[in-house]
Amino acid sequence: MMPKRLNASEIERHLERLTGWVKDEGKLKKEYKFTNFIEAFAFMTRVAFLAEGMNHHPDWANVYNRVSISLTTHDVGGISELDVEFAERLTDVA
Amino acid sequence: MMPKRLNASEIERHLERLTGWVKDEGKLKKEYKFTNFIEAFAFMTRVAFLAEGMNHHPDWANVYNRVSISLTTHDVGGISELDVEFAERLTDVA
């Protein structure tokens, strides 16, 4: 089933409780910082399992202890409920 | 020991045998494409161990089955022998 695309006010409401997440260039984004590379990649491994399990894959990047994650839903051309759910679940794995 | 910074002609010579690598914005870059996300992340895990083992960490990004890797050596402000060695070793893990 196609996830529901969210409008600007719906996204704003979700962002109120999604700590550290921002809307930027039509995507939900968050920057994570860890103690070192091993901690950063350990986090990435958890995220990888989450992504594969949800069949929803982030656009993400890493340099040493930093991981930046961008979420969007190509099928709806914007931010959807699936991105919000992904961001929520990331809070549990971080 | 500080790795040796390479000049333009040295980099060009190395690029002749580093298949798929290019010099872009003062970095060595390569794009990898895999069958799916699991294959891409399996590759990333191998790269992570290589990076930690060499204590030389890439600037890299992933979207689904694609992994892009950028190498530079901050300590010398450019591309060094360490980046070339990293690129060579990546060929073995890919």
Side-chain angles (χ1 to χ4, degrees), chain A residues 37 48 52 57-58 60-63, chain B residues 37 48 52 57-62:
Chain A
F37 177 74
E52 189 62 18
H57 302 85
W60 56 342
N62 160 250
V63 186
Chain B
F37 178 74
E52 189 62 18
H57 302 86
D59 180 342
W60 55 342
N62 160 250

Side-chain angles (χ1 to χ4, degrees), chain A residues 36-89:
Chain A
N36 53 39
F37 177 74
I38 291 176
E39 295 301 322
F41 197 76
F43 167 71
M44 290 175 73
T45 304
R46 290 166 177 270
V47 175
F49 281 103
L50 172 66
E52 189 62 18
M54 288 181 68
N55 193 28
H56 191 53
H57 302 85
D59 180 343
W60 56 342
N62 160 250
V63 186
Y64 191 56
N65 65 335
R66 292 171 189 275
V67 179
S68 60
I69 299 183
S70 292
L71 303 174
T72 188
T73 304
H74 294 286
D75 288 347
V76 302
I79 295 167
S80 78
E81 291 171 327
L82 202 52
D83 298 306
V84 169
E85 185 185 343
F86 196 102
E88 283 170 341
R89 292 216 200 165

